[in-house]
Amino acid sequence: MRIARFSTDEGMSFGVVEENTVAAVAAHPFGELTFTGQRYPLADVRLLAPILPSKVIAIGKNYADHAREMGGEPPAEPVIFAKPSTAVIGPGEAVAYPGKLSERVDFEGELAVVIGRMCREVPAARAAEVILGYTCANDVTARDLQQKDGQWTRAKGFDTFCPLGPWIETEVDPSDLAITTTVNGETRQDARTSLLLHDVPALVEYVSQVMTLLPGDVILTGTPAGVGPLEIGDEVTVTIENVGSLTNRVIARD
């Protein structure tokens, strides 16, 4: 099932994408879905970020090749950091390049996990019970500020620096999915989620030992090797097998 958040002239709704239509559901997508009976052609709606999380928890250096391209060895334990909810945008929305503060902004294509219910201290073996589904993410990063600051909040936290979408896929096995990132149609990242150092169940266990996860919270699982800079005018697309494609264009912030 593909759960989308979308807008029409009538307002914002959640819905289920079925072929070329969206069937609207009442309220939120957590728990049993209740359909309103309204159905829209997919081409006639605007897809939004599929969820507005209370927090985005991201994992750094979770692919060995990426850890090495960043100048270090893979960490023994997951490295976690947070992106603010205000960084979230949806498919087709613009990533705003903060040119007054940064001279290098990078793309980082990632598989994102969407939490489906409040939980804490979840054993890895039961992680699937608390996951609503998966979506595509771009952990946009001001690389020069990341290196300058030594910690990552500013570099990762700009408005528009967390594109999510196009929807939440609820029926997919995340253990071995192809993940690619293209910039202006040129492939820059090409990997599989089977190469994750810490897989999805392990990440849910690790993060939920630290903090309570709420419905709609997002865990970014890490980016593979091949990260690189974006320029104003670039179009970046993150595609994950059996999930979908997320495309955003880069514009000047001001």
Side-chain angles (χ1 to χ4, degrees):
M1 182 185 299
R2 289 178 168 174
I3 298 173
R5 181 171 161 266
F6 66 96
S7 66
T8 66
D9 291 341
E10 301 168 6
M12 188 277 294
S13 302
F14 286 99
V16 174
V17 178
E18 299 171 336
E19 296 183 351
N20 295 317
T21 64
V22 183
V25 300
H28 55 69
F30 309 108
E32 186 174 352
L33 299 181
T34 301
F35 290 89
T36 67
Q38 294 175 299
R39 187 179 294 271
Y40 305 90
L42 187 58
D44 292 347
V45 305
R46 178 189 174 200
L47 292 179
L48 307 173
I51 204 70
L52 293 178
S54 78
K55 54 187 172 291
V56 178
I57 303 302
I59 310 299
K61 302 179 181 180
N62 201 24
Y63 289 81
D65 286 351
H66 173 61
R68 295 187 179 105
E69 80 174 347
M70 298 304 291
E73 288 301 307
E77 293 184 333
V79 175
I80 66 174
F81 61 94
K83 293 173 81 81
S85 59
T86 48
V88 172
I89 59 172
E93 293 188 73
V95 173
Y97 196 121
K100 292 181 179 179
L101 295 173
S102 174
E103 296 180 353
R104 175 165 170 170
V105 172
D106 283 14
F107 58 85
E108 294 191 7
E110 309 196 10
L111 174 70
V113 181
V114 181
I115 299 298
R117 71 184 206 193
M118 186 171 70
C119 60
R120 63 189 296 268
E121 297 183 354
V122 180
R126 299 187 61 183
E129 298 175 22
V130 305
I131 294 172
L132 175 62
Y134 304 88
T135 192
C136 306
N138 189 347
D139 176 19
V140 182
T141 304
R143 191 69 69 201
D144 52 349
L145 299 184
Q146 182 183 28
Q147 295 168 350
K148 177 182 178 181
D149 292 351
Q151 55 82 29
W152 303 351
T153 303
R154 181 166 65 140
K156 302 280 192 175
F158 284 96
D159 291 354
T160 75
F161 270 27
C162 189
L164 298 175
W167 41 60
I168 300 166
E169 174 57 66
T170 65
E171 299 174 2
V172 65
D173 180 352
S175 61
D176 187 25
L177 301 174
I179 176 170
T180 62
T181 304
T182 65
V183 178
N184 302 326
E186 179 183 344
T187 299
R188 301 291 183 85
Q189 293 180 290
D190 186 5
R192 302 194 69 87
T193 57
S194 55
L195 297 174
L196 285 167
L197 297 171
H198 307 283
D199 63 12
V200 168
L203 294 178
V204 171
E205 178 178 74
Y206 191 85
V207 173
S208 68
Q209 288 176 343
V210 178
M211 65 192 75
T212 298
L213 296 171
L214 302 179
D217 282 351
V218 170
I219 299 175
L220 306 186
T221 59
T223 195
V227 300
L230 292 167
E231 302 295 339
I232 293 169
D234 283 348
E235 184 177 86
V236 55
T237 299
V238 179
T239 300
I240 300 178
E241 181 182 10
N242 297 328
V243 176
S245 292
L246 168 68
T247 298
N248 302 88
R249 186 172 292 278
V250 182
I251 65 170
R253 183 175 180 179
D254 36 41

